[in-house]
Amino acid sequence: MHTQQQAASENSSMMTGRKTKMKVHPERKKEERAFWIFASPWIIGFILFTGGPMVASLWLSFTNYDVVSSPRFTGLDNFISLFQDTLFFKSLSVTTYYVVLAVPFTIVLSLLLAVLLNQKIKGLFIFRTLFYAPSIVSGVSIAFLWSWLLNPDFGFVNNVLHEWFGLAGLGWFTDAKLVVPSMVLMQLTSLGGTMVIFLASLQSLPKDLYEAADIDGAGSFRKFFNITMPLISPVILFNTIMAIISSFQIFTQAYVITKGGPEWNSYFYVYYLFDTAFSQFRMGYASAQAWILFLLIFALTMLSLTLSKRYVHYEYTSRK
């Protein structure tokens, strides 16, 4: 009887549009306060150092601003000028060329290294450390190291080519055709982060699938392409997107070694943006460049996610 009355009361409240407010347990409120307290440093940091500057950059992209004088609103003039700028298209084409070479190079080599470092051999932790360590070194230091290794006059690589193979030295950073491939080659010392992510995904795969494949007589290549690749496909997608984003933002190598040369063939997009902002002090124009880059990367990320629906498998859940 009491239950029927309670149900009738609830139905009556719903019919009349009145809502009953549920009491929140004090412990739940305490946890919620603790969450906001611990999250507040990140939220404040994001607003001050990321969100705020992004909003300011969006506003400046519609202005003529040279740091000295106040910003003057010019509407879409900066964006119109960009699409009439030959250097804009040159830097974008050079960067795209680098991305097309660097992303497959990074993903394939990182995955191969992860597979090799996932084997059971003695002293494996030493090899893992050696392959990962260069990725935490400063980008400027790595650039100076490669500028020495690939120096056309006294570089180690050219000396090896000459002494061992009798080949003439190559102008790695002075030849217009070789400068971008040389920048891609420098990725060899930056594979550590991507490799570790692949290695973690490989170590989480269930062994029973491989045992079943062994019983069926499957070889190593068949197991890799029919079991390993489908299971780690979400990780491949993640690393590919991150590689695209980082490759479009290449800057340090060109700034330290080539200064955009030779013949503008290493004048990457971010280098052009940096030059516009901090050499020419055209902050409005540079802000427009930054937002074009953001939209381009965002579009490529969405395209990658859309195309991946046919090849990426998410239904796997790890089993112990």
Side-chain angles (χ1 to χ4, degrees):
M1 186 68 178
H2 176 72
T3 305
Q4 292 177 350
Q5 291 177 350
Q6 186 178 5
S9 176
E10 290 178 357
N11 290 334
S12 176
S13 298
M14 292 176 64
M15 291 294 291
T16 55
R18 292 176 297 180
K19 295 182 180 179
T20 57
K21 188 176 181 180
M22 294 179 63
K23 290 185 177 180
V24 180
H25 195 277
E27 197 66 29
R28 181 65 179 271
K29 289 184 176 180
K30 186 178 179 181
E31 291 179 358
E32 188 176 341
R33 284 196 298 269
F35 165 79
W36 287 111
I37 290 172
F38 283 109
S40 59
W42 183 90
I43 296 172
I44 294 171
F46 176 80
I47 294 173
L48 292 178
F49 302 111
T50 303
M54 285 184 68
V55 174
S57 173
L58 181 60
W59 158 247
L60 289 175
S61 67
F62 298 105
T63 66
N64 182 5
Y65 181 45
D66 59 0
V67 180
V68 179
S69 58
S70 299
R72 182 171 56 85
F73 184 77
T74 56
L76 295 174
D77 286 358
N78 287 329
F79 294 95
I80 295 172
S81 298
L82 265 177
F83 288 99
Q84 298 172 347
D85 187 351
T86 55
L87 268 183
F88 167 77
F89 289 104
K90 178 63 178 179
S91 63
L92 192 58
S93 64
V94 168
T95 306
T96 303
Y97 176 43
Y98 174 82
V99 171
V100 170
L101 295 180
V103 172
F105 181 83
T106 300
I107 298 301
V108 172
L109 278 186
S110 298
L111 182 55
L112 289 177
L113 281 174
V115 171
L116 291 174
L117 296 177
N118 195 39
Q119 309 302 313
K120 294 181 179 179
I121 59 175
K122 194 173 181 179
L124 187 60
F125 71 94
I126 298 176
F127 292 102
R128 290 176 178 175
T129 303
L130 289 175
F131 280 108
Y132 177 73
S135 65
I136 62 176
V137 179
S138 165
V140 174
S141 301
I142 292 295
F144 276 116
L145 171 65
W146 279 101
S147 67
W148 173 76
L149 290 173
L150 300 179
N151 188 284
D153 298 322
F154 56 82
F156 175 78
V157 175
N158 275 354
N159 285 337
V160 170
L161 291 175
H162 178 70
E163 297 294 335
W164 292 11
F165 303 100
L167 300 176
L170 300 175
W172 299 97
F173 298 122
T174 56
D175 189 330
K177 295 180 179 179
L178 290 178
V179 63
V180 171
S182 300
M183 298 287 183
V184 174
L185 186 63
M186 292 173 63
Q187 285 293 104
L188 282 172
T189 49
S190 305
L191 301 176
T194 308
M195 178 200 69
V196 166
I197 295 174
F198 276 131
L199 183 59
S201 66
L202 291 173
Q203 292 179 341
S204 67
L205 299 180
K207 296 181 180 179
D208 54 346
L209 294 178
Y210 294 93
E211 292 171 355
D214 288 333
I215 295 173
D216 291 338
S220 299
F221 284 98
R222 189 172 179 184
K223 286 188 290 186
F224 180 76
F225 288 104
N226 291 347
I227 299 176
T228 304
M229 291 289 285
L231 293 181
I232 67 169
S233 55
V235 181
I236 296 174
L237 173 63
F238 171 79
N239 280 333
T240 300
I241 291 175
M242 296 305 294
I244 291 172
I245 293 172
S246 62
S247 297
F248 265 105
Q249 298 180 48
I250 179 176
F251 166 74
T252 305
Q253 296 91 320
Y255 182 75
V256 173
I257 301 174
T258 62
K259 302 298 181 184
E263 302 173 12
W264 306 95
N265 282 285
S266 64
Y267 199 64
F268 298 112
Y269 191 90
V270 174
Y271 191 99
Y272 183 30
L273 193 158
F274 173 85
D275 196 23
T276 303
F278 299 105
S279 295
Q280 304 173 28
F281 297 103
R282 300 165 65 194
M283 294 298 177
Y285 199 70
S287 297
Q289 288 176 286
W291 275 94
I292 291 293
L293 180 62
F294 169 77
L295 293 175
L296 177 61
I297 293 176
F298 180 79
L300 288 174
T301 301
M302 292 298 102
L303 179 63
S304 300
L305 292 173
T306 302
L307 295 177
S308 69
K309 293 178 181 179
R310 296 180 56 185
Y311 307 103
V312 178
H313 307 277
Y314 294 102
E315 56 270 6
Y316 162 69
T317 55
S318 60
R319 292 173 287 178
K320 294 184 180 179

